Amino acid sequence: MPLTRRHFLQAAAAAATSPLFAHRSLANVPLGAGTLTTVSDGHLTLPADFIFAPMPKDALAPILDQYGIADGPLTPECNLALYRDGTNTVLFDIGSGPDFMPTAGTLLEGMETAGISPEDVTHVVFTHAHPDHIWGLLDDFDEPLLPEATYMMGRAEWDYWWNPETVNTIGDARAAFAVGAKRRLEALESMVEFFDPGQEILPGIASIASHGHTPGHMSFELRNGSDSALVIGDAIGNHHVAFARPDWESGSDQDGPLAAQTRMQLLDRLANEKMRAVGFHLPGGGLGRVELAGDAYRFVQEDA
């Protein structure tokens, strides 16, 4: 079945009245002398095939049973990382806004829950430009939601969505993604700052190429004293199949083979270095650690 924006909206509307719609998660831990918080933007409601379509069904079924993933739509959390070091307050991504799904777009409420006002945010750093990460950029008047912040995006990601040919090559199911991204990038054009992989974009924050989910997807290593964490965006997009079989291609990724390679590298590093991870769609606020589980991995939520 080809997945279109209509399928997403139908699934989201059906779930908007369920108890899951009220679910909000918040995680808050020290990172050296700084603080790492996750802010809820609600959750998505996705057709299961959006992720599982390219996977072998017989091998997939026991994994879904193990993780208690039932038939029906998936409802992953949307967790934005926010890092405060005493000088800067850095928000990673800016959520969905009101125009993507009725179950998401609650960033301002999430920030209020975390005790953070919009004026506190000094920088917004984007992992990538999919709707749930960038469509919240504009307010009801098509002005930047956080007008005092500095906006930062990887150069390759910007170039991909800025290219007028992207809407013609991304496929019908994601054409609206391209149109929506371009409109928001146009609003940022005069104020955005670009960076490249491996660059220290702010004190204690380094960019890491994690391409595949989108062509220029970026992750970010945070270091404060001896503490560290990795903001991974959608490079590891769920807590079940992405950990049990990171080598499998996911329907959510634009370049499946490259995304699988990236995912395996990140999981290996996180497990070996025992580094905290912040995943946009991971459960319990998205903050935790990665552990080896035989020949696979598992996500362990942070006790925050």
Side-chain angles (χ1 to χ4, degrees), residues 94 107-108 111 118 136-140 143-148 151:
I94 202 164
L107 172 62
L108 293 181
M111 289 174 61
L137 172 69
L138 301 178
D139 64 16
D140 293 339
E143 298 290 338
L145 182 71
L146 305 175
E148 302 304 317
Y151 293 87

Side-chain angles (χ1 to χ4, degrees), residues 9-23:
L9 292 176
Q10 286 175 339
T17 57
S18 78
L20 282 170
F21 183 55
H23 179 68

Side-chain angles (χ1 to χ4, degrees), residues 25-28 35-42 78-97 105-128 132-138 144-154 188 192-193 195 201-203 205 218-220 222 231-233 278 280 285:
S25 293
L26 174 71
N28 190 76
T35 304
L36 179 59
T37 303
T38 59
V39 177
S40 175
D41 194 49
C78 297
N79 298 300
L80 286 73
L82 190 141
Y83 175 56
R84 290 167 284 181
D85 65 2
T87 300
N88 294 318
T89 297
V90 184
L91 181 67
F92 294 88
D93 298 322
I94 202 164
S96 297
T106 62
L107 172 62
L108 293 181
E109 293 94 326
M111 289 174 61
E112 183 178 2
T113 298
I116 300 158
S117 69
E119 295 77 19
D120 294 334
V121 178
T122 60
H123 298 80
V124 176
V125 179
F126 293 105
T127 62
H128 65 297
D132 49 330
H133 296 256
I134 198 171
W135 279 22
L137 172 69
L138 301 178
L145 182 71
L146 305 175
E148 302 304 317
T150 297
Y151 293 87
M152 308 180 76
M153 181 178 284
L188 280 186
V192 68
E193 295 184 5
F195 56 84
I201 64 170
L202 289 165
I205 303 177
M218 301 294 289
S219 297
F220 302 93
L222 314 181
V231 177
I232 56 178
V278 189
F280 195 89

Side-chain angles (χ1 to χ4, degrees), residues 248-267:
W248 283 356
E249 294 183 28
S250 170
S252 65
D253 296 324
Q254 291 184 221
D255 184 333
L258 179 58
Q261 179 182 338
T262 293
R263 192 160 47 244
M264 290 186 287
Q265 290 172 344
L266 289 175
L267 286 167

